[in-house]
Amino acid sequence: MDNLNEVKIVLTGAVLAVVGLIGWQGVLVLVWVALMILDYASGWLAAKKTKTWKSEKARDGIMHKGGMVLVVLASALTDGVLWIAWEHIGVFTAEWPWLLMALTVAWYCLTEVGSILENAG
C-alpha cells in the first residue's frame, strides 16, 4: 500500500509541476488537443462501424481541425497585441491577458465534446 501512495504523490507532483509551468491556459489547450484526438478517433470508429468510411471526409475533418488551430493562434496573437497596447496606453491594465484565446479554446472544447457525443450516437 505504501508503494501506491508513493505513486500517487509522484503523479500529483508531476501534474502540479506541469500546471505550474504552462498555467491554466496551457491546461485548457491540452484538454482541447485531447478532445480533438478523441473526436477524430470516435468519428473513425463510427464510420468503420457503419461502413461509411471515406478518405475525403476524413481529410475534411483534419482540415477543419487545422483551421481551428489557426483560429486559436490568431486569437492568441490578438491577445498579445491587445496586451502590448494596454501596457503602453496606460489607461488600464489587463487582468486576463489571454482571455480571447481562452474563450476561443473553451468554445472549441465544447464543440468537440458535442461532436464526440454525436459520433457516439
Side-chain angles (χ1 to χ4, degrees):
M1 192 63 134
D2 288 335
N3 288 337
L4 182 61
N5 286 336
E6 290 172 5
V7 169
K8 288 179 184 178
I9 290 170
V10 169
L11 286 176
T12 302
V15 168
L16 289 176
V18 169
V19 171
L21 186 64
I22 64 175
W24 66 270
Q25 296 96 337
V27 172
L28 188 61
V29 169
L30 289 178
V31 168
W32 172 54
V33 169
L35 286 171
M36 282 196 301
I37 292 168
L38 285 173
D39 178 39
Y40 190 79
S42 66
W44 182 81
L45 290 171
K48 287 295 258 186
K49 181 181 178 187
T50 60
K51 295 182 170 99
T52 58
W53 175 261
K54 292 186 180 176
S55 295
E56 182 180 354
K57 192 167 182 178
R59 271 192 310 273
D60 289 345
I62 290 173
M63 295 298 284
H64 178 73
K65 294 197 183 315
M68 292 188 330
V69 169
L70 290 176
V71 170
V72 170
L73 289 174
S75 66
L77 287 172
T78 303
D79 276 334
V81 169
L82 288 173
W83 184 72
I84 291 169
W86 285 331
E87 289 294 315
H88 286 84
I89 292 172
V91 177
F92 59 91
T93 59
E95 295 294 323
W96 295 74
W98 301 108
L99 181 61
L100 184 59
M101 185 207 68
L103 289 174
T104 303
V105 172
W107 172 258
Y108 279 138
C109 283
L110 292 174
T111 62
E112 290 298 309
V113 168
S115 182
I116 292 166
L117 292 173
E118 183 180 345
N119 291 335

